[in-house]
Amino acid sequence: MSRFLDPSPVDLAMVKVEQLAEHPDANATIGMVLHLSGAVPDLAGLREHLTARLDALPCLTHMLTGDGPSARWTPAVPDMGRHVLAQHISEGPAALEEAVRLRLREPWPQDAPTWRMVLLHGHVPDEFALLYLAHHAVQDGANIVTVMETLFGPQLRREEFSVLTRDVPSTARPSLRQVARSTVNLLRHARRHGLWQSAAHPLSSRRHLLWVQAPSDSLRTAARAGAAGTNDVYLSALTHAISQWARDAWPRAARAGLPVMVPVNLRTPDEVAAPGNRLFLMRIDLPGGPMTVARRLARTRALTPVLKSAGHKTVLRAAITRLPRRLLQSLVDVSTVPGRLTVCASNLVMRQRLHYGEAAVHRIDPVMFCPPGVPLAVVAMTYGDTTSVCFRIDTALPGADGLPERWRRALADLNATAPPVSGDTPASASRAPAGRVTPVVRSLVTWLAQRSTGAAARRR
């Protein structure tokens, strides 16, 4: 019997959204590009290096088999001849980006774990790249950070990996008061918005793949000036970029609120490198419309504490690990209907310095996926002195390939402005929830409340 949680409806949803894709650009593949300085290594040696570390990485040695209640994590021994490859590419960064685009379109085998690593070389003298890709059903972003730290970082205890939830024990139960607070938040963001449904520009499965880099210190400087966190800065610059683009290109997204789905990491130290997703896609309505980016940051920071709340994460953790399967499946289904899908924005930090032999990793570019029905998905990766942001954008959005540069300019503007006035809280933060509450959300709230009440009674 597997020692891991069974595949959840969240994992299975990653498979199903890919089946809806009309083009392989919308495949459910995520990953990272590690840029290393040094001589191109021997492929056989790289395969041996990975093989020696497989025992610590169950997400590399298990497959998702079956569907629905019969889905299981099935052990499988990777064939390094199939999983670890090498490719000589033409000179220049454009050749590297094109190689990544083509690899992202490759289908996954049905009889092997869904990951691969490709040694890419030839694009820059005395450098090479390691492209790591994985199916999102088996690995989430936090898991990929752990995989890279295990393969190319120092030896770590399980609680020392960069992307883990340390303030929510895997067995924690939410209090009734916290369930009530989280309920208000869930209800507020359960409504359809229809922002990205357009007869003139129907969404497609074709995607831009674009990166933009910025000094990590520029996010920290803007965060200190605005009494905010670096994630607040990242989200504010993204919302600013989208709002400016939308004024002419997509007016319905230029209004006061911009719904954004943010994955809340719920992976605990005892689940290091376990297969499957340990996240909850949480919607927050960020301040849209015309305003300065400094004012936007002030309003954003008032909305994001819930993303870091240990109490709220305890409720979300209970939702993905303890909800009856049928109810969790209904919750996933309701949240992925076209009228509710929207921008996705993730933020990762790699705290360990990575290397392979004598070659040091000097930059990491994340690789995001953007499923059908999602207009754009963005992920930021902070590693050392550089924060690299990957944009996957539906090509149906007119002129949206300029969003990365708009994000960079918004960040530059934040660093050039004075700190915003404190206490600027958006009215939407205190407004009572409007619109019809879905039966699924009502059932979720009732179930969590009953479980919390029962737990409290047992403690007494």
Side-chain angles (χ1 to χ4, degrees):
M1 181 178 295
S2 173
R3 65 186 187 277
F4 311 115
L5 292 173
D6 287 338
S8 74
V10 177
D11 303 324
L12 299 179
M14 298 297 182
V15 177
K16 292 177 180 177
V17 296
E18 183 175 79
Q19 295 170 347
L20 299 174
E22 298 175 352
H23 189 277
D25 276 357
N27 285 349
T29 300
I30 57 175
M32 294 182 183
V33 184
L34 276 58
H35 299 263
L36 296 94
S37 303
V40 177
D42 175 65
L43 180 60
L46 180 60
R47 287 170 173 164
E48 291 177 3
H49 179 83
L50 268 63
T51 300
R53 289 157 176 78
L54 284 178
D55 288 346
L57 296 168
C59 58
L60 303 190
T61 59
H62 285 75
M63 297 169 47
L64 176 59
T65 58
D67 192 17
S70 65
R72 295 291 182 269
W73 298 118
T74 303
V77 179
D79 178 356
M80 289 304 177
R82 299 171 64 186
H83 285 83
V84 185
L85 308 169
Q87 179 182 350
H88 185 277
I89 57 179
S90 302
E91 187 175 349
L96 176 62
E97 292 180 6
E98 181 62 18
V100 174
R101 288 188 185 92
L102 293 176
R103 290 287 179 178
L104 278 169
R105 294 172 180 170
E106 293 180 353
W108 293 105
Q110 299 297 311
D111 60 346
T114 49
W115 65 272
R116 65 174 63 98
M117 181 172 287
V118 186
L119 168 62
L120 299 170
H121 59 97
H123 56 292
V124 179
D126 300 319
E127 289 191 15
F128 61 96
L130 293 174
L131 169 64
Y132 179 79
L133 299 175
H135 198 291
H136 207 327
V138 184
Q139 298 181 42
D140 55 24
N143 225 352
I144 290 182
V145 171
T146 296
V147 169
M148 295 298 98
E149 290 183 333
T150 301
L151 294 177
F152 304 114
Q155 188 169 358
L156 301 171
R157 297 188 302 274
R158 64 182 187 179
E159 65 272 11
E160 293 177 326
F161 288 93
S162 293
V163 187
L164 294 172
T165 297
R166 297 172 176 84
D167 52 356
V168 180
S170 58
T171 58
R173 292 181 180 272
S175 67
L176 186 58
R177 177 177 295 181
Q178 183 58 58
V179 169
R181 290 174 179 168
S182 296
T183 297
V184 171
N185 190 280
L186 288 170
L187 296 181
R188 182 182 294 135
H189 301 104
R191 306 182 302 277
R192 290 176 183 250
H193 52 78
L195 220 88
W196 303 102
Q197 295 176 297
S198 168
H201 301 284
L203 298 183
S204 73
S205 291
R206 298 298 300 263
R207 302 286 182 262
H208 296 294
L209 173 62
L210 303 166
W211 287 276
V212 63
Q213 288 81 36
S216 300
D217 275 348
S218 64
L219 280 86
R220 299 185 189 108
T221 299
R224 286 193 296 269
T230 54
N231 190 52
D232 300 331
V233 171
Y234 160 63
L235 292 175
S236 297
L238 177 62
T239 309
H240 198 72
I242 294 172
S243 297
Q244 289 191 320
W245 161 80
R247 283 182 302 185
D248 299 318
W250 205 278
R252 66 176 62 188
R255 61 193 189 195
L258 180 68
V260 176
M261 301 299 291
V262 179
V264 178
N265 175 38
L266 302 170
R267 188 175 296 271
T268 58
D270 57 347
E271 296 172 328
V272 165
N277 288 263
R278 302 292 189 277
L279 58 83
F280 192 102
L281 266 179
M282 183 176 167
R283 175 180 150 188
I284 55 175
D285 291 352
L286 295 176
M291 68 183 74
T292 66
V293 67
R295 179 178 173 83
R296 204 180 303 277
L297 175 59
R299 299 186 66 181
T300 296
R301 73 182 182 195
L303 298 171
T304 57
V306 67
L307 298 176
K308 298 169 280 189
S309 164
H312 187 62
K313 286 192 287 185
T314 301
V315 175
L316 301 183
R317 170 84 189 182
I320 68 168
T321 60
R322 296 199 180 101
L323 272 183
R325 186 180 189 88
R326 185 176 300 177
L327 182 53
L328 182 57
Q329 182 66 64
S330 298
L331 182 62
V332 171
D333 292 343
V334 165
S335 64
T336 54
V337 298
R340 289 190 177 90
L341 292 173
T342 188
V343 178
C344 294
S346 182
N347 191 3
L348 300 169
V349 178
M350 184 84 72
R351 304 188 190 283
Q352 307 297 331
R353 302 299 294 189
L354 308 184
H355 65 93
Y356 176 58
E358 298 299 318
V361 176
H362 60 82
R363 192 179 93 209
I364 299 177
D365 292 330
V367 178
M368 190 57 154
F369 97 114
C370 184
V374 172
L376 67 148
V378 189
V379 59
M381 164 58 70
T382 296
Y383 174 75
D385 297 334
T386 303
T387 294
S388 181
V389 185
C390 176
F391 286 75
R392 297 303 304 271
I393 306 171
D394 193 327
T395 58
L397 303 184
D401 55 342
L403 285 171
E405 183 54 35
R406 288 180 183 273
W407 180 88
R408 194 209 308 262
R409 289 203 302 268
L411 179 60
D413 289 346
L414 269 176
N415 277 272
T417 57
V421 177
S422 61
D424 185 7
T425 303
S428 60
S430 57
R431 189 182 302 134
R436 186 174 65 89
V437 177
T438 67
V440 171
V441 174
R442 185 182 295 111
S443 298
L444 166 65
V445 170
T446 301
W447 186 88
L448 288 171
Q450 290 172 344
R451 298 283 289 187
S452 297
T453 303
R458 286 192 295 273
R459 284 195 295 271
R460 290 195 295 269

